[in-house]
Amino acid sequence: MNINVTPGGNAPPPMEWPQGELTRIPFWVYQTPDIYALEQKRIYEGPIWNYLCLEAEVAKPGDYRTTFVGSMPVVVVRDYDEEIYAFENRCAHRGALIALDSGGTARDFTCVYHAWNYDLKGNLKAVAFEDGVAGRGGMPKTFCRSDHGPRKLRIAIFAGLVFGSLSDDVPPIEEYLGEEIAAKIKRVLHKPVAVTGRFTQSLPNNWKLYFENVKDTYHASLLHTFFTTFRINRLSQKGGMIVSPDGGNHASFSYTETKPADHDYAARGLRSDNEDFALQDQSLLTTIDEFGDGCNMQILTVFPGLVVQQIQNALAIRQVLPKGQFRTALNWTTIGFADDTPQMKTLRLKQNNLAGPAGYVSMEDGAVGGFVQRGVAAAGDERAVVEMGGTGTMTEGTRATEASVRGFWKCYRGHMGL
């Protein structure tokens, strides 16, 4: 299929993406402003569920968080009727932000520019000097407050995760997730959670490069030296991956080794097997099997931007947000459970050093997307090769495959019409 857009790199228009091709990803898809603009309409404002926040983050009436749906700023708030609402963080008057903070508690919202006031559902309730001053000025008699306000989102809540959509055509959340992915979410988020920390990581690359990365089930034991050296994750371990029928959602998982690890990494001279690495504090490797199934790692994604992380006992929600075609905001929310013991809280705090921009494990993920973005700068007419494990997008009993990456592109192309 041809698409007439202005290319990045040196690709001449029109750019072609052959129908049905999932093993050759054109590099212009990470570079092109027209593609980025189309994503806002067809994906983020289309028939999909965008992750917004945790239900625990808006636990009481008046609690709110601000976030984004693609490039659209959004307010998520619990009203005094105990329901959660979400609306565009944009004053209907001149377009200023309604809520300026990342979160807090409020009885209502008043725009700082001209003091237009909104309730917790996003309805315009008052306009400063609506009747003018001393009988002069003011809004026209035909002005009706209910005709003006920010766009409102539909809300769905699943296992304590709050999702929003601008589309009336989005399927029910359980159908959107798929039965197997829904079960894997419930496996981790099976009881009330407590937020233990938040931070944002700025990535120098297109959002799709990071989302591909977390769907890539075989890079972890190659890129992350810590994983393989300390035998947290090797492809020789029992594990597998699940891909939802539409390809957009996935879960990869591995189990604690019960036998000595293979020597395949060392025999191949791979960088990820480093005998020079050592830990002074071995307690970092302690794992409590809190889910009772021996699974020491599960990484799960929901299209287009949610990651649910379990690395040993380090639990986190990651939110992937585009900030232009060459920059991504990665929002991390570390969590535990409301009934965690002091000992478990300490263990989670220690293991949280595994992930994040300076983590023993995932700091490499924050860099490698930038390596790709820089590497393909003049290769807009070239394509990535995504053939590990074949050409399909099906669930497999191995992680030595790119099936979930191909699944992402299957879902992406379906929404984008490419």
Side-chain angles (χ1 to χ4, degrees):
M1 179 177 181
N2 290 339
I3 180 167
N4 291 298
V5 295
T6 304
N10 58 359
M15 291 174 284
E16 181 182 358
W17 194 333
Q19 188 68 34
E21 180 63 79
L22 299 177
T23 64
R24 296 292 184 273
I25 311 305
F27 290 129
W28 52 255
V29 79
Y30 308 113
Q31 303 169 325
T32 311
D34 295 35
I35 286 289
Y36 181 82
L38 196 62
E39 289 170 350
Q40 304 306 309
K41 293 297 182 183
R42 294 191 178 178
I43 294 180
Y44 296 102
E45 297 182 28
I48 63 104
W49 286 110
N50 298 274
Y51 169 74
L52 301 178
C53 68
L54 287 163
E55 192 174 12
E57 295 180 281
V58 287
K60 302 186 299 296
D63 288 353
Y64 72 92
R65 296 290 302 171
T66 57
T67 184
F68 288 84
V69 166
S71 60
M72 177 193 294
V74 171
V75 180
V76 188
V77 59
R78 189 181 292 273
D79 197 1
Y80 288 88
D81 63 4
E82 298 291 345
E83 296 295 322
I84 294 175
Y85 297 88
F87 50 90
E88 186 176 13
N89 192 2
R90 174 188 58 82
C91 181
H93 179 214
R94 300 285 291 278
L97 292 172
I98 296 171
L100 302 180
D101 298 326
S102 60
T105 303
R107 294 195 62 85
D108 54 21
F109 297 98
T110 300
C111 176
V112 298
Y113 199 177
H114 297 93
W116 284 33
N117 177 263
Y118 300 84
D119 66 17
L120 299 184
K121 295 181 175 67
N123 299 314
L124 178 62
K125 302 301 292 183
V127 173
F129 303 116
E130 183 174 355
D131 297 326
V133 177
R136 297 182 179 180
M139 303 298 287
K141 298 300 183 183
T142 56
F143 178 78
C144 180
R145 290 194 296 268
S146 62
D147 292 340
H148 302 274
R151 285 176 284 183
K152 298 178 181 179
L153 284 72
R154 297 177 60 190
I155 292 293
I157 300 173
F158 184 85
L161 302 169
V162 180
F163 296 88
S165 181
L166 286 158
S167 173
D168 293 329
D169 298 324
V170 65
I173 187 63
E174 292 84 356
E175 180 182 335
Y176 184 83
L177 296 171
E179 183 177 350
E180 291 181 297
I181 300 301
K184 288 295 186 181
I185 293 176
K186 288 181 177 179
R187 172 190 167 271
V188 175
L189 304 178
H190 65 288
K191 56 183 176 178
V193 304
V195 174
T196 59
R198 300 184 184 92
F199 56 91
T200 297
Q201 184 177 359
S202 182
L203 306 178
N205 51 263
N206 187 271
W207 70 273
K208 297 184 289 296
L209 285 169
Y210 183 82
F211 208 56
E212 276 186 304
N213 174 273
V214 287
K215 287 175 171 291
D216 180 338
T217 54
Y218 91 100
H219 84 275
S221 68
L222 299 170
L223 178 65
H224 305 311
T225 299
F226 192 94
F227 262 163
T228 310
T229 298
F230 297 106
R231 291 163 173 77
I232 295 174
N233 185 356
R234 291 186 172 221
L235 289 179
S236 56
Q237 291 173 236
K238 178 184 176 183
M241 46 79 66
I242 296 168
V243 184
S244 63
D246 71 350
N249 312 324
H250 106 288
S252 63
F253 47 90
S254 62
Y255 295 87
T256 303
E257 285 185 325
T258 57
K259 60 182 180 179
D262 67 273
H263 299 286
D264 201 38
Y265 289 85
R268 294 173 183 268
L270 297 176
R271 183 192 68 86
S272 52
D273 190 82
N274 193 330
E275 295 182 356
D276 294 331
F277 277 8
L279 280 175
Q280 185 173 4
D281 182 4
Q282 292 288 324
S283 67
L284 184 68
L285 302 177
T286 300
T287 301
I288 296 175
D289 186 9
E290 60 182 312
F291 305 108
D293 56 7
C295 179
N296 70 326
M297 191 177 78
Q298 176 182 290
I299 301 296
L300 182 149
T301 64
V302 177
F303 186 88
L306 170 65
V307 183
V308 179
Q309 165 204 302
Q310 177 224 336
I311 301 175
Q312 295 181 308
N313 300 107
L315 309 179
I317 305 297
R318 309 180 202 171
Q319 182 188 33
V320 183
L321 292 174
K323 297 296 178 182
Q325 65 262 38
F326 302 131
R327 193 164 70 88
T328 299
L330 180 58
N331 293 331
W332 297 74
T333 304
T334 60
I335 60 173
F337 294 114
D339 62 357
D340 278 350
T341 64
Q343 293 77 16
M344 179 59 85
K345 290 179 181 178
T346 299
L347 180 61
R348 293 198 204 283
L349 181 62
K350 182 177 292 187
Q351 290 186 357
N352 280 340
N353 289 296
L354 292 171
Y360 292 129
V361 176
S362 61
M363 62 178 175
E364 297 96 341
D365 291 326
V368 74
F371 297 163
V372 176
Q373 194 78 64
R374 290 156 58 189
V376 305
D381 56 349
E382 301 292 338
R383 298 178 182 184
V385 178
V386 187
E387 288 187 353
M388 177 65 70
T391 62
T393 63
M394 303 297 290
T395 294
E396 296 188 31
T398 179
R399 289 168 295 137
T401 177
E402 291 171 311
S404 51
V405 178
R406 291 187 291 270
F408 167 75
W409 290 110
K410 172 184 175 182
C411 183
Y412 177 90
R413 293 185 62 192
H415 284 287
M416 289 286 287
L418 294 177

